[in-house]
Amino acid sequence: MRFLTVLLLSYFLGGLPTGLLLGKLLAHTDIRKQGSGNIGSTNALRTLGWKVGLLTFAGDFGKGALAVLVARMMVPSDPLAVAVAMFFVVFGHCYSPFLHLTGGKGVATICGAMMAVNVVLTLFWLGLFFLIVVLSRLVSLGSILAVSGAALHTLLFTAHPLVIRVALLLCAMVCIYRHKENIERLLQGKEPRLGGHHAD
């Protein structure tokens, strides 16, 4: 029963649409009708300004971290609870029960969940993400490479319990799938860069 509670709490926590709520509260607009229509921090930054963008990232990041911390409190010393929380908070963000199973792409939420598990590893991959974005001005490219790299590195080269490593890999797969349109544009050389037209 405790694992089911962790699953449901993580899913509904992840499903809280931070960008949508902040957009309506601070900018009096529906972010789904702005820019790319995505509720994540990149679209919030581009269309509603740096304040809403940063707060959206912080909110989505916080959801991931909070889900893991709550799982640890509810089911102490059991990595399976952490793994369940990691996956379902990300899944909830990407397929929100409050938005008819639509949502964001999961990058910030994955970062938050990772930060609660391995601070050093998360900071390393966040740094790599920012480096890629600075050099390429492609947020989607940085997101895809950082998330997939972090998941593979964790799976192959860390001593975390297998269930946690697999959960992160599954989170990365969901995130990359959510970026499928970005991947198509990247392959075609049509992905907009930061400072250009919207899309994320």
Side-chain angles (χ1 to χ4, degrees):
M1 181 60 72
R2 286 183 297 171
F3 283 96
L4 178 60
T5 303
V6 167
L7 186 158
L8 292 174
L9 284 175
S10 299
Y11 177 63
F12 283 98
L13 176 62
L16 292 174
T18 311
L20 177 63
L21 295 173
L22 288 171
K24 288 187 174 182
L25 179 65
L26 300 179
H28 309 291
T29 188
D30 187 336
I31 193 174
R32 296 171 298 180
K33 299 178 181 178
Q34 303 293 325
S36 67
N38 191 271
I39 64 169
S41 54
T42 300
N43 192 42
L45 177 67
R46 282 174 164 159
T47 61
L48 303 181
W50 67 269
K51 181 179 180 180
V52 178
L54 289 178
L55 287 174
T56 298
F57 179 88
D60 290 342
F61 181 98
K63 292 189 301 187
L66 181 60
V68 172
L69 295 175
V70 169
R72 283 179 172 159
M73 289 189 294
M74 294 186 63
V75 191
S77 304
D78 193 328
L80 179 57
V82 172
V84 168
M86 288 178 67
F87 177 75
F88 279 96
V89 73
V90 173
F91 189 79
H93 175 79
C94 295
Y95 300 97
S96 171
F98 307 113
L99 299 176
H100 307 290
L101 300 183
T102 62
K105 299 185 179 179
V107 178
T109 306
I110 291 175
C111 286
M114 281 182 59
M115 185 69 81
V117 172
N118 190 321
V119 174
V120 174
L121 182 65
T122 306
L123 291 176
F124 172 79
W125 287 103
L126 269 176
L128 185 61
F129 161 78
F130 285 116
L131 179 62
I132 294 170
V133 172
V134 167
L135 294 177
S136 68
R137 292 191 295 117
L138 291 166
V139 176
S140 58
L141 180 64
S143 299
I144 293 165
L145 292 179
V147 168
S148 58
L152 291 173
H153 181 268
T154 301
L155 179 67
L156 299 175
F157 301 112
T158 72
H160 289 297
L162 181 60
V163 287
I164 290 179
R165 289 181 280 153
V166 171
L168 182 56
L169 182 63
L170 292 175
C171 289
M173 292 171 66
V174 171
C175 179
I176 292 169
Y177 177 76
R178 295 290 292 170
H179 280 86
K180 59 185 184 298
E181 294 178 358
N182 304 87
I183 293 172
E184 291 176 2
R185 291 194 296 266
L186 285 167
L187 293 174
Q188 296 168 1
K190 297 179 180 179
E191 179 74 342
R193 300 175 188 270
L194 273 180
H197 297 294
H198 61 75
D200 60 63

